[in-house]
Amino acid sequence: CMVIEIMGNKAGWLTLYAGLAGGADVILLPEVPYDIKKVAQAVEARAKSKKPFSIIAVAEGAMNVEEARMKRKDWMAKRAEQGFGATATNRIAQAVQKKTGMETRVCIPGHMQRGGSPSAYDRVLATQFGSYAAKLVEIERYGVTVAMVNNHVTANPLVDIAGKTRGVPDDCDMLNVARSMGISLG
């Protein structure tokens, strides 16, 4: 069982997309508190159906149902007391191994996830954003950021978005895709 920590302390977008793209069997996000029993059951169910491996994608900010009811400082103190640090990944791996008897390994790629060559889509998107940003400068419209909304390049006022975290909503299309594919969300 591979438990892979993906960047995402406050929002699980990267973990959700990476988990879907990478074939994860379990995806754990900060927005959806997990039950370790359900995670272990998902791993065991795969093993019983002759699939002897599982991939668990964990956002670094994932928390269990108990932690979700606590204040941040309290669950951080509890994790530190248990020797697990800020993220849940090692604790999840240890619990899954204990509950299932399956060997678990942890992989934390960290900032290496940000590297790599841009794809054709990345290059076209950057060109679209750059062109739009140049038009904004030309018309002297400042204090905005360029974004893609519903497949249209647009500008968002910085005052509307700066310092605000946009988490994965429960009705997110990609979350529904994960659910329909039988991916456990813990």
Side-chain angles (χ1 to χ4, degrees):
C1 181
M2 292 297 300
V3 183
I4 304 162
E5 182 177 294
I6 312 285
M7 292 187 312
N9 190 22
K10 295 179 181 172
W13 292 105
L14 289 173
T15 305
L16 177 58
Y17 277 74
L20 285 167
D25 306 297
V26 178
I27 300 174
L28 304 178
L29 309 174
E31 298 87 348
V32 184
Y34 67 88
D35 178 342
I36 196 64
K37 290 177 188 170
K38 289 182 181 178
V39 174
Q41 287 169 351
V43 170
E44 288 175 326
R46 283 187 49 79
K48 286 178 185 169
S49 66
K50 306 285 187 233
K51 297 173 186 163
F53 68 91
S54 292
I55 299 171
I56 302 175
V58 180
E60 61 187 340
M63 62 179 66
N64 63 36
V65 289
E66 179 187 346
E67 291 171 333
R69 292 189 287 261
M70 301 168 76
K71 291 182 180 176
R72 179 177 171 83
K73 68 176 185 153
D74 294 334
W75 62 257
M76 289 288 284
K78 183 177 178 181
R79 285 184 183 181
E81 186 179 291
Q82 295 172 337
F84 288 110
T87 66
T89 310
N90 287 308
R91 187 183 49 179
I92 290 166
Q94 189 177 67
V96 168
Q97 184 165 326
K98 184 177 180 182
K99 290 182 181 305
T100 66
M102 292 182 68
E103 179 183 1
T104 60
R105 302 261 175 115
V106 171
C107 177
I108 305 175
H111 286 90
M112 289 189 323
Q113 297 170 76
R114 291 186 178 179
S117 299
S119 67
Y121 177 83
D122 296 333
R123 292 174 191 274
V124 170
L125 184 63
T127 303
Q128 287 178 286
F129 280 15
S131 173
Y132 196 87
K135 286 179 188 174
L136 292 172
V137 170
E138 185 179 323
I139 63 171
E140 298 184 7
R141 183 172 177 207
Y142 305 108
V144 297
T145 183
V146 177
M148 180 74 75
V149 177
N150 297 324
N151 282 334
H152 295 288
V153 179
T154 187
N156 292 320
L158 286 173
V159 69
D160 292 346
I161 59 170
K164 298 176 184 167
T165 302
R166 187 174 72 96
V168 177
D170 193 49
D171 64 346
C172 169
D173 287 343
M174 286 296 143
L175 215 56
N176 293 329
V177 167
R179 288 181 180 117
S180 71
M181 292 177 59
I183 295 171
S184 172
L185 299 171

